[in-house]
Amino acid sequence: MKASQTPCVGLCSTVYGDRTCRGCFRSLEEITNWTTYSENEKHHTWMRLENVVCTVLPEWIRIHDAEKLKLALSEKRIRFPVDYSPYMWAWRYLVSFQQDIELEVLDNAGITLLKNKASILDFIKALHQTLFIFSDAQIERQQQALFK
């Protein structure tokens, strides 16, 4: 996946009034202006997302086999940013699940969970909410810095 390709994961929430999308964690501005962004601006957005993911995910998961993760993504036909951290790949993989799965599925994809939840789906939902909160706070800080 190139920087020019959208980070969209098809779970948009900005239409409901969120300033940060609960799916891809981009700001409303980043989403709205994506098609007019330069390659550098798109790359900057991807780098911000990678910072969010790589800050949060290591507290939640361990990637014990990146090659297995690549294979699992390919088998599910999930686009992933191959030039970025494997944590970005894991995020794309985890967000693809809409129903509960067995721990073995994640293990076969090279992912080990580090936090216990009632179910894998509860784990993914809690992780996703944490990513959203972190990204939303980061976007708010950036916007406040612009207006100072």
Side-chain angles (χ1 to χ4, degrees):
M1 181 177 292
K2 297 176 183 174
S4 61
Q5 291 178 308
T6 179
C8 181
V9 296
L11 301 171
C12 302
S13 71
T14 55
V15 294
Y16 301 112
D18 290 335
R19 73 170 166 221
T20 302
C21 179
R22 293 178 184 271
C24 67
F25 312 123
R26 288 182 295 163
S27 69
L28 181 57
E29 178 187 329
E30 289 168 332
I31 293 167
T32 304
N33 296 328
W34 188 261
T35 58
T36 61
Y37 271 2
S38 68
E39 286 299 310
N40 189 45
E41 289 169 315
K42 290 176 182 180
H43 177 71
H44 178 74
T45 300
W46 272 107
M47 294 303 295
R48 187 188 63 72
L49 294 173
E50 183 173 39
N51 176 267
V52 168
V53 169
C54 290
T55 299
V56 173
L57 257 66
E59 299 289 323
W60 290 72
I61 68 167
R62 181 174 61 85
I63 299 169
H64 62 263
D65 193 329
E67 290 305 313
K68 279 185 176 181
L69 181 53
K70 271 186 186 178
L71 181 61
L73 285 157
S74 295
E75 286 174 353
K76 284 190 80 171
R77 293 191 168 116
I78 299 170
R79 293 178 312 129
F80 64 100
V82 74
D83 295 334
Y84 295 87
S85 166
Y87 284 106
M88 292 287 282
W89 311 347
W91 164 54
R92 296 298 277 221
Y93 186 72
L94 291 169
V95 78
S96 74
F97 290 100
Q98 301 301 313
Q99 58 187 7
D100 211 7
I101 56 169
E102 298 294 321
L103 200 55
E104 183 180 350
V105 172
L106 295 180
D107 187 55
N108 289 339
I111 298 172
T112 302
L113 303 185
L114 300 177
K115 294 187 179 212
N116 293 326
K117 292 288 176 192
S119 71
I120 305 295
L121 192 56
D122 287 341
F123 174 90
I124 293 169
K125 286 178 181 178
L127 170 61
H128 201 80
Q129 180 64 16
T130 302
L131 287 164
F132 169 75
I133 290 168
F134 191 88
S135 185
D136 190 54
Q138 189 181 60
I139 288 167
E140 183 177 341
R141 281 191 305 274
Q142 286 178 346
Q143 289 175 347
Q144 286 175 351
L146 288 174
F147 295 110
K148 284 189 174 182

